[in-house]
Amino acid sequence: MKIEAAELRLISLPLKFRFETSFGVQTMRHLILLTLYGEGLEGYAETVMEYTPHYREETIPGAWALLEELLIPQVLGKDLANPEQLWGEIAGFRGNKMTKAALEMAFWDLWCKSLGQPLWKVLGGVRTEIPVGISLGIEPSIEATLEKVGQGLSNGYRRIKLKIKPGWDVKLALAVREAYPEANLTVDANSAYSLNHIATFKALDAASLDYIEQPLAFDDILDHAKLQAAISTAICLDESITSPEDARKALEIGAGRVINLKPGRVGGILASRKVHDITQSYGLPVWMGGMLEAGIGRAANIHVATLPMFIKPGDTSSASRYWQEDIIEEALEAQNGLMPVPQGPGLGVNLKRDLVQKLTEKSAYVTHAVQG
């Protein structure tokens, strides 16, 4: 299959609510929407990085330039038999995994459409609906948090994740556990702590959490292993896992017992499947994380989460929680904590072209290939 051209669009989508984490407050989601054109078909992906390098080091301005000037020209016009071959064309460029993931994921959509098959079937998925939970930002008060938790449980969500930061952690978790003793409860620190906070994490053991997500530095696994040995609650690694190799090393030294897999963070769908297979070899679970994706990114995550070891509820909750109007025609909505997998070819979703045009802040059409 040949990629004949590509289109980049920078779009901004307002969130329905103020979302606060240890990184700060977010009210708008900015993303690059990538469309690949080939053989009369279109393949879609969205980027997951932010404007500023708070989650990981990549940024939207850097991703735009790299896609337009290097990555897309590198693959245009080449006869690519499958996503593995496309990855081979760009693997030599170091780092920038979120940016490369967008190109690879758009090609997966294009390639699966050419096969007339949904992505989940081509990947070897085993389910047509996936369990999902919700992630709650830092609220103004414990009372406000308890109200949001109650709403989430009444809507059937199968896991409640609370964002925490120093000073907003043990008291919060214990209050939620007391109010909802049967809830599947987790917390996410987004790298806000250090080993100096071991007493905090030992206190969190009393909250009967399923896991504590990414408590320590974004690029660490060694200190996570020390912390995991000191507490009974499982540690879930997020930002620290940027490749299958990271996953293997982290599980080998006992840095955690769960992995939050985000396809963009590890370099795309091929890498995601490898991370999944590594966790399977250790007999440990993985779950699908979220980066406030709009419809294209959310659909891709749902397809990947059909693989066997995605047994814990992920972050692919209903799109209507986040957006007044999503950028795709299909409604990605959970029922009783289960998200149906789109069944059409590729991602199985279609763009709302008028809305995308309205939301576009800038665009570029790429038709030039690398020369030589």
Side-chain angles (χ1 to χ4, degrees):
M1 161 159 263
K2 289 186 179 180
I3 303 172
E4 298 155 4
E7 182 182 54
L8 299 168
R9 288 178 178 267
L10 176 62
I11 68 174
S12 296
L13 199 58
L15 283 161
K16 289 174 71 173
F17 55 87
R18 177 182 182 276
F19 189 65
E20 182 177 350
T21 70
S22 62
F23 295 139
V25 176
Q26 194 166 357
T27 58
M28 184 77 70
R29 182 71 173 112
H30 307 284
L31 59 90
I32 300 169
L33 178 64
L34 170 62
T35 303
L36 298 181
Y37 300 94
E39 301 180 10
L41 301 170
E42 298 179 4
Y44 308 123
E46 26 171 296
T47 59
V48 296
M49 73 286 294
E50 300 174 1
Y51 253 107
T52 54
H54 282 112
Y55 175 76
R56 288 289 310 188
E57 63 277 7
E58 291 181 74
T59 65
I60 285 177
W64 183 283
L66 190 60
L67 285 165
E68 182 180 18
E69 299 172 16
L70 183 60
L71 293 182
I72 293 171
Q74 180 71 19
V75 299
L76 281 181
K78 294 183 178 177
D79 193 7
L80 303 168
N82 50 45
E84 288 88 347
Q85 192 169 351
L86 177 134
W87 186 257
E89 294 289 336
I90 62 175
F93 301 120
R94 293 189 178 184
N96 299 284
K97 292 185 178 179
M98 293 181 179
T99 308
K100 290 191 288 188
L103 180 59
E104 187 241 34
M105 293 168 78
F107 187 74
W108 270 100
D109 186 32
L110 188 70
W111 184 62
C112 289
K113 285 173 179 173
S114 75
L115 301 176
Q117 294 290 325
L119 174 59
W120 73 272
K121 280 192 175 180
V122 177
L123 283 177
V126 297
R127 53 181 70 90
T128 57
E129 54 186 10
I130 60 172
V132 295
I134 57 171
S135 177
L136 299 180
I138 295 172
E139 297 292 328
S141 66
I142 289 178
E143 291 72 25
T145 303
L146 291 172
E147 183 179 353
K148 291 286 183 69
V149 171
Q151 291 171 356
L153 293 173
S154 66
N155 288 332
Y157 284 110
R158 303 191 174 198
R159 182 223 62 200
I160 304 294
K161 180 167 75 173
L162 307 171
K163 295 288 187 176
I164 62 171
K165 62 182 181 180
W168 181 259
D169 39 44
V170 177
K171 186 177 179 181
L172 168 74
L174 292 177
V176 175
R177 173 55 69 210
E178 182 178 5
Y180 301 100
E182 303 302 319
N184 181 2
L185 186 64
T186 72
V187 296
D188 184 5
N190 289 118
S191 305
Y193 297 80
S194 73
L195 285 179
N196 293 329
H197 296 95
I198 282 184
T200 297
F201 295 109
K202 287 184 175 180
L204 281 170
D205 279 339
S208 300
L209 303 171
D210 192 16
Y211 51 79
I212 299 169
E213 187 176 347
Q214 195 67 37
L216 307 181
F218 76 97
D219 56 355
D220 168 77
I221 58 172
L222 182 59
D223 282 354
H224 277 100
K226 294 177 182 178
L227 178 60
Q228 182 65 93
I231 64 176
S232 60
T233 305
I235 289 176
C236 172
L237 296 171
D238 177 357
E239 290 97 318
S240 294
I241 306 301
T242 64
S243 69
E245 292 75 22
D246 286 345
R248 178 187 61 78
K249 293 172 185 176
L251 296 181
E252 188 171 310
I253 68 171
R257 299 199 292 265
V258 187
I259 286 179
N260 165 351
L261 179 58
K262 295 174 180 173
R265 190 190 69 234
V266 300
I269 291 174
L270 286 172
S272 295
R273 189 162 60 185
K274 290 176 182 177
V275 172
H276 165 273
D277 293 348
I278 288 167
T279 65
Q280 190 172 40
S281 72
Y282 280 86
L284 294 174
V286 64
W287 57 272
M288 180 56 67
M291 296 284 286
L292 295 178
E293 288 91 351
I296 296 299
R298 191 173 301 269
N301 288 354
I302 291 168
H303 280 274
V304 175
T306 63
L307 292 169
M309 295 306 290
F310 284 90
I311 55 180
K312 288 185 178 292
D315 281 343
T316 50
S317 55
S318 296
S320 61
R321 289 192 65 238
Y322 300 95
W323 320 116
Q324 206 64 49
E325 185 176 8
D326 202 354
I327 62 172
I328 59 172
E329 297 286 352
E330 295 74 15
L332 300 180
E333 298 294 307
Q335 298 293 329
N336 193 31
L338 293 171
M339 175 68 74
V341 181
Q343 293 300 303
L347 295 178
V349 297
N350 299 279
L351 289 176
K352 288 182 179 176
R353 298 184 185 275
D354 290 345
L355 178 61
V356 168
Q357 180 63 40
K358 179 181 176 182
L359 296 172
T360 297
E361 297 186 1
K362 71 172 182 175
S363 62
Y365 197 70
V366 186
T367 59
H368 60 284
V370 169
Q371 300 300 314

